[in-house]
Amino acid sequence: MINRRTFTKAVGIGTGAAAVSLTGLQGVSGAATSSSGASGGKVPVVPTIAPGTHTSFPSVKQVRAGLLNVGYAELGPAHGPVVLCLHGWPYDIHSYVDVAPLLADQGYRVIVPFLRGHGSTRFLSARTFRNAQQSAIALDIIALMDALKIDKAVLAGFDWGSRTADIIAALWPQRVKALVSVSGYLITNRKAQLTPLPAKAEHTWWYQYYFATERGKLAMESEEHRLEVTRLVWDLVSPSWGFDDATFHRTAAAFSNPDYAAIVIHNYRWRLGLEEGERRYDRYENVLEAGPSIAVPSITVDAELDPFTPAGGDTGYRSKFTGKYEHRTLAGIGHDLPQEAPTAFAQAVVDVDHF
């Protein structure tokens, strides 16, 4: 467990505030059928809405947190229990554009930040290395919680967001009330990344290898090619999601961040051992390399049509979750699970909060 004193030392600066079916729970395998939580109280049922019911957030706020000025959307009562929703790549806060109001209506204070390199989140210093190793991104969220004076929250994420939430739950469990993690345990073991995967799995990761080349880097730096690559990823990993051009471009606006290319390229190259991180994060990465367990109450969710969802459900990572736990599989859903199945995702948050 990492405490707040060692976190501040790692970041190196102080923190402070400047400021399913596609629509419901049908097709969810493994979902709880009881209407009572662990305390015996009734678990609220989230109303079913169609994906795309909401298209924007009322506003985006900014707060200085750690190394960043973080842009984030906030919905719900200011003093409600907090849920932090963390997006993945190539996505942004709009992955939660339907989830956030559903949770806000349940009384939650919902915080949805742009990760470093995305949207209106900016580095405070031009001299800061544009690092996207996993512990650095997790520390960004701890800094955000400190800046917003959030002691503990439910963390919910997918893709990069799942990895970030998993790391915080493993290293700082005192900051996590409960966890919803799409695709389960995603903490990266870089040594394991050196071992070849089955050919079909390697094919699915085509863009990771593309980004290892200079051509891939140039593609991310070019607006035209960046949009082509990210749109192709959306099409391939969410084969049943009938999103329109407007939906994609609302998210793609976040890719115009001046640090976007650097962050994306460093993240994928770092995972493959092709780029180094920073020594100040070594203590965290050494712990993460050992595959620490997660003891906070957790629900893991798999999307049936996500090409990254392994066969066998949660069998490959079940042992990593040592607290109260449940696994769900959503039929007919692809990679951007919270945007494709907002009701089911929001229900998972409410359910795990009542464990």
Side-chain angles (χ1 to χ4, degrees):
M1 183 185 302
I2 309 298
N3 62 38
R4 196 173 302 191
R5 180 179 62 82
T6 56
F7 156 68
T8 303
K9 181 178 179 182
V11 174
I13 59 175
T15 62
V20 85
S21 66
L22 292 182
T23 59
L25 293 175
Q26 299 165 356
V28 179
S29 172
T33 57
S34 173
S35 61
S36 297
S39 63
K42 294 292 185 180
V43 178
V45 175
V46 176
T48 297
I49 65 169
T53 296
H54 304 88
T55 58
S56 64
F57 291 96
S59 64
V60 173
K61 301 179 179 181
Q62 298 291 139
V63 64
R64 290 171 64 98
L67 300 172
L68 304 171
N69 186 312
V70 178
Y72 65 99
E74 179 174 356
L75 278 75
H79 300 291
V82 180
V83 178
L84 271 164
C85 295
L86 307 177
H87 69 79
W89 184 90
Y91 305 96
D92 81 329
I93 64 174
H94 287 87
S95 289
Y96 299 99
V97 73
D98 283 321
V99 169
L102 286 172
L103 292 174
D105 287 347
Q106 296 295 324
Y108 290 98
R109 179 188 179 192
V110 187
I111 308 292
V112 191
F114 287 108
L115 298 185
R116 58 170 57 190
H118 294 72
S120 62
T121 292
R122 297 289 190 274
F123 286 88
L124 296 175
S125 172
R127 297 187 298 274
T128 302
F129 174 51
R130 272 37 178 177
N131 182 349
Q133 70 185 101
Q134 60 183 353
S135 60
I137 296 174
L139 286 162
D140 290 343
I141 302 306
I142 294 291
L144 175 64
M145 293 176 70
D146 287 347
L148 296 178
K149 297 180 171 54
I150 297 169
D151 183 62
K152 181 177 282 194
V154 176
L155 299 188
F158 77 105
D159 197 88
W160 289 22
S162 287
R163 179 172 297 106
T164 302
D166 288 350
I167 291 169
I168 297 171
L171 298 187
W172 295 277
Q174 72 277 15
R175 308 301 297 272
V176 182
K177 183 179 181 184
L179 171 71
V180 173
S181 182
V182 176
S183 303
Y185 190 88
L186 292 186
I187 295 175
T188 297
N189 182 320
R190 290 214 299 168
K191 291 179 182 177
Q193 292 278 349
L194 300 177
T195 302
L197 297 171
K200 186 176 180 180
E202 298 282 24
H203 178 267
T204 301
W205 283 104
W206 64 272
Y207 57 85
Q208 180 170 255
Y209 307 119
Y210 184 43
F211 294 158
T213 70
E214 186 62 19
R215 284 172 63 174
K217 177 175 179 291
L218 291 173
M220 282 296 99
E221 292 172 345
S222 159
E223 180 179 6
E224 177 185 358
H225 292 296
R226 180 169 64 238
L227 293 179
E228 290 176 350
V229 170
T230 52
R231 177 62 182 257
L232 178 59
V233 171
W234 276 43
D235 289 337
L236 294 175
V237 302
S238 292
S240 64
W241 183 23
F243 63 88
D244 57 18
D245 289 344
T247 298
F248 172 74
H249 285 289
R250 276 191 291 270
T251 284
F255 309 160
S256 297
N257 184 299
D259 298 310
Y260 184 78
I263 290 298
V264 172
I265 295 300
H266 185 263
N267 180 281
Y268 288 104
R269 290 184 178 183
W270 177 84
R271 291 195 215 178
L272 294 177
L274 302 176
E275 294 276 2
E276 293 302 317
E278 294 178 90
R279 293 193 63 184
R280 61 173 153 177
Y281 300 114
D282 284 354
R283 64 180 300 165
Y284 307 105
E285 297 297 347
N286 290 339
V287 176
L288 296 173
E289 198 76 16
S293 61
I294 294 173
V296 305
S298 301
I299 290 178
T300 60
V301 189
D302 281 341
E304 180 191 39
L305 300 183
D306 183 352
F308 303 110
T309 296
D314 64 342
T315 55
Y317 56 76
R318 173 64 185 91
S319 64
K320 293 296 186 180
F321 294 89
T322 59
K324 188 170 177 60
Y325 173 84
E326 186 176 303
H327 177 72
R328 300 176 180 180
T329 298
L330 270 62
I333 301 299
H335 188 70
D336 187 2
L337 191 150
Q339 197 162 0
E340 296 181 55
T343 302
F345 189 90
Q347 188 67 59
V349 172
V350 172
D351 290 347
V352 80
D353 187 39
H354 286 78
F355 271 12

